[in-house]
Amino acid sequence: MTTEVKDTFNLNVPAQSTDNHDLDDLDDHDHHDYAGDTIFGFWIYILSDCLLFGTLFAVYAVYSNSFAGLIEPKELFNLGFVLTETALLLFSSFTFGMAMLKANHEDIKGMFKWLAITFGLGFSFLIMELYEFYHFNSEGATFHSSAYWSAFYGLVATHGLHVFAGLMWMIVLVFHFKRDGFSTENKTRLACLSLFWHFLDVIWICVFSVVYLMGVL
């Protein structure tokens, strides 16, 4: 009787061990699904944003010559100023890439340093854009001046609002990393923000080419 009970116990031990191993595999699988599903969903959001900006570019193209006999963009656009804005935003894409490299090595201090530089560059870009808007308005090129300027502000300001949202997202992520460290969720959030930030750089290159370069011709 004792031997029978002992044999039964010995048979149950590996079964319990296997169950724990299966639970660990299931937990890892859940984390993998979370990251994959979240990034896939974020790509869908990026595509929807492409539709938004595509519509704004189309509106701008339709009204690109509708000045109502008033001030034209080539009278106000300063390519040197806009090139500085562009350099700030493009360099911020590089610094964000460096932050991602530090995150891959789980170097939180290095990641925070590069994110701070990225934030500073993005914030400087926004300050320059707001100054540009102020300058244009003081010269009489307001949102209501003509169809052209309405389309201009609609496109450029929408991009600026996206940059502002990215900066706020960075601040929130810093608090998440301080609280939870390099969790699966935080790594996924950072990857999504990286996609978002690089997407904004691509959109700005289109804005610079279509709006500013063509506007001075």
Side-chain angles (χ1 to χ4, degrees), residues 47-81:
L47 290 174
S48 70
D49 240 13
C50 285
L51 294 175
L52 169 64
F53 279 105
T55 302
L56 291 173
F57 274 110
V59 171
Y60 177 84
V62 169
Y63 295 114
S64 59
N65 293 311
S66 302
F67 307 118
L70 301 174
I71 193 165
E72 297 187 14
K74 60 185 177 182
E75 300 176 49
L76 295 179
F77 285 172
N78 182 339
L79 276 185
F81 187 87

Side-chain angles (χ1 to χ4, degrees), residues 79-195:
L79 276 185
F81 187 87
V82 182
L83 278 171
T84 303
E85 287 182 279
T86 303
L88 288 172
L89 202 58
L90 292 182
F91 190 63
S92 75
S93 191
F94 167 77
T95 58
F96 204 118
M98 294 300 297
M100 289 296 294
L101 287 175
K102 294 298 182 181
N104 289 337
H105 290 91
E106 298 196 354
D107 178 1
I108 197 163
K109 288 184 178 179
M111 184 192 71
F112 282 165
K113 180 187 76 172
W114 286 107
L115 279 181
I117 295 172
T118 304
F119 184 92
L121 292 168
F123 185 75
S124 299
F125 170 86
L126 276 184
I127 293 298
M128 292 186 70
E129 190 167 88
L130 289 173
Y131 172 79
E132 183 182 52
F133 288 171
Y134 170 78
H135 172 64
F136 289 173
N137 275 266
S138 65
E139 294 292 330
T142 66
F143 183 84
H144 303 289
S145 297
S146 64
Y148 172 85
W149 288 108
S150 295
F152 168 84
Y153 285 113
L155 173 58
V156 180
T158 299
H159 176 270
L161 285 173
H162 279 68
V163 174
F164 177 76
L167 294 178
M168 295 301 100
W169 192 352
M170 280 185 213
I171 294 174
V172 172
L173 265 185
V174 167
F175 285 104
H176 276 291
F177 272 97
K178 283 181 176 291
R179 186 187 65 187
D180 302 322
F182 288 98
S183 64
T184 301
E185 291 80 6
N186 282 345
K187 288 181 178 179
T188 304
R189 290 166 184 149
L190 186 65
C192 289
L193 178 54
S194 177
L195 286 174

Side-chain angles (χ1 to χ4, degrees), residues 205-216:
I205 291 171
C206 295
V207 171
F208 175 75
S209 302
V210 174
V211 176
Y212 290 97
L213 281 181
M214 294 183 66
V216 299

